[in-house]
Amino acid sequence: MAVNRSVIRGVGAYVPKRVMTNADMAKIVDTTDDWIVERTGIHSRHIAEEGEKTSDLGIAACRQALVRSGIDPLDIDLVICATATPDRTFPATATRIQAGLGINRGAAFDVQAVCSGFVYALTVADSLLRTGQFRRALVVGAETFSRILDWSDRGTCVLFGDGAGAVVLEAQPTHGTREDRGILFSRIRSDGRFEDLLYVDGGPGSTKTTGHLRMNGREVFRHAVQKISGVIEETLVATGYAADEIDLFVPHQANKRILDGIARKLNVGPEKIVVTLGKHGNTSAASIPLALNQAFEERRLKEGSLVLMEAMGGGFTWGAVLARW
Ligand code: UT7
């Protein structure tokens, strides 16, 4: 039976020019390159310039994804931006990206699921494309986390970075089998009881300020390994694939030790895991599309590759998407 699938037609990314190394961090807070590398795997991160906004990063990433897809921006009828660091409280950063690309048809809106934002946004876009309501979507993860960091808190400020990544999705008729190209399965989850472990201590409706990121790193770490492994397991069971049939794991990039822990649990070799953490840090909703982009540029993504994406973040939110490139 013919079914619509959301096929990934192109990927693109953008990171701000300014690079901040661990040595630069050590000039600001009481930390060392050794500590950061050993505990997280991060060596450096990109930081947006004054005035450089989340939408600016998103637009640049979308432009590259559009060029690579060969699709005209005017043929895009859906723009979804996953971000926890919008340019403004409203309108949605997605509508600013839409306007920046010269698109004035269809719909644009933001998805807020912090580090799981890209997995959530892909899931929402896929649902809307499969029903036939839209035909071509830009799904972008864009963040300027540097704006919400407490630069005096060494436990958090060394972890995050700024950047954006985007994919172009197109609804295409397929056979409806697991060998199809496109998004094959996705699962999103949340549990709001864990808010106090990872949150921003401000907001227009509470403090009327932007606030700063607060995290109980050790507890988040524990939940991340557990919840991500669980949702990957569900994805494999639902689709009937074994972990060793996955060609490429494109995980959210929070901590190298989390990635290693999950890889050990699933028994997958390092050659199948995309790691960009070293040069990007944790870029929240941007981290998966930034990693997809790196895998594409390194020619690790081929037509037909089975790709598993997963993430966990504030809320808690978590989820996974299985797609065939
Ligand atoms: O993307 C959303 C999901 N986020 C995550 O998944 C993050 C998950 N958590 C983590 O990645 C890790 O928990 C961290 C990297 C945040 C922290 O690593 P940890 O091994 O859990 O360290 P810790 O928080 O238990 O702290 C150990 C020690 C503490 O010192 P004492 O109390 O043992 O004397 C900290 O004060 O390390 C100290 N510390 C630092 N030392 C040097 C914390 N941050 C730093 C730092 N430099 N930047």
Side-chain angles (χ1 to χ4, degrees):
M1 191 186 70
V3 294
N4 268 345
R5 295 250 196 230
S6 310
V7 173
I8 302 173
R9 288 281 309 267
V11 59
Y14 180 81
V15 284
K17 302 227 168 357
R18 185 172 154 222
V19 174
M20 207 169 165
T21 63
N22 291 347
D24 296 329
M25 282 290 172
K27 292 178 197 150
I28 299 176
V29 287
D30 180 15
T31 191
T32 60
D33 178 52
D34 282 352
W35 191 95
I36 301 173
V37 172
E38 189 188 310
R39 300 291 179 117
T40 71
I42 299 167
H43 293 269
S44 60
R45 68 288 288 148
H46 293 260
I47 301 292
E49 293 297 344
E50 196 63 42
E52 197 173 22
K53 298 179 295 302
T54 297
S55 63
D56 297 325
L57 312 188
I59 288 167
C62 287
R63 284 212 168 103
Q64 187 176 50
L66 283 164
V67 167
R68 287 175 175 167
S69 72
I71 289 174
D72 191 301
L74 299 179
D75 288 330
I76 296 290
D77 53 6
L78 178 65
V79 180
I80 304 183
C81 178
T83 188
T85 45
D87 292 4
R88 291 180 164 158
T89 302
F90 78 81
T93 301
T95 57
R96 308 190 97 206
I97 293 173
Q98 183 194 33
L101 294 168
I103 305 168
N104 56 12
R105 60 194 284 260
F109 58 90
D110 287 357
V111 162
Q112 159 59 296
V114 207
C115 297
S116 314
F118 190 73
V119 164
Y120 267 64
L122 271 185
T123 303
V124 173
D126 178 45
S127 306
L128 291 169
L129 291 182
R130 278 192 290 115
T131 62
Q133 199 170 344
F134 298 93
R135 261 194 73 65
R136 294 185 192 88
L138 266 169
V139 179
V140 49
E143 301 278 19
T144 47
F145 253 52
S146 59
R147 312 284 189 233
I148 54 166
L149 297 176
D150 174 349
W151 288 94
S152 66
D153 175 13
R154 67 177 182 174
T156 54
C157 74
V158 303
L159 304 174
F160 296 90
D162 301 336
V167 294
V168 180
L169 297 180
E170 182 177 55
Q172 291 183 3
T174 63
H175 299 298
T177 70
R178 63 178 206 163
E179 278 75 40
D180 292 341
R181 290 187 68 201
I183 295 178
L184 300 174
F185 182 83
S186 73
R187 172 121 312 162
I188 50 175
R189 289 273 181 266
S190 64
D191 189 339
R193 288 175 301 169
F194 298 108
E195 173 177 344
D196 290 348
L197 297 180
L198 176 53
Y199 65 101
V200 166
D201 63 4
S206 52
T207 58
K208 293 187 265 181
T209 61
T210 308
H212 294 109
L213 183 147
R214 306 290 172 208
M215 177 167 73
N216 178 334
R218 201 174 286 188
E219 277 301 300
V220 175
F221 190 108
R222 198 169 62 77
H223 282 280
V225 177
Q226 221 175 58
K227 292 187 162 43
I228 292 168
S229 302
V231 82
I232 290 177
E233 204 62 52
E234 280 180 53
T235 304
L236 295 176
V237 168
T239 54
Y241 279 110
D244 63 6
E245 290 178 278
I246 306 293
D247 295 307
L248 212 55
F249 283 88
V250 187
H252 169 52
Q253 313 278 318
N255 188 314
K256 182 71 170 53
R257 289 185 293 139
I258 296 180
L259 305 192
D260 292 342
I262 293 162
R264 259 197 311 277
K265 265 194 159 165
L266 291 171
N267 199 20
V268 283
E271 73 287 351
K272 285 194 171 181
I273 304 177
V274 183
V275 183
T276 57
L277 187 68
K279 60 181 183 186
H280 293 155
N282 179 347
T283 56
S284 182
S287 87
I288 290 178
L290 276 168
L292 271 180
N293 182 68
Q294 176 173 305
F296 173 80
E297 291 183 347
E298 289 173 348
R299 299 181 192 281
R300 294 170 76 187
L301 276 168
K302 305 188 177 65
E303 191 169 317
S305 296
L306 193 58
V307 183
L308 182 64
M309 300 165 247
E310 50 80 354
M312 188 267 192
F316 288 146
T317 55
W318 65 101
V321 173
L322 184 69
R324 193 176 292 288
W325 199 256

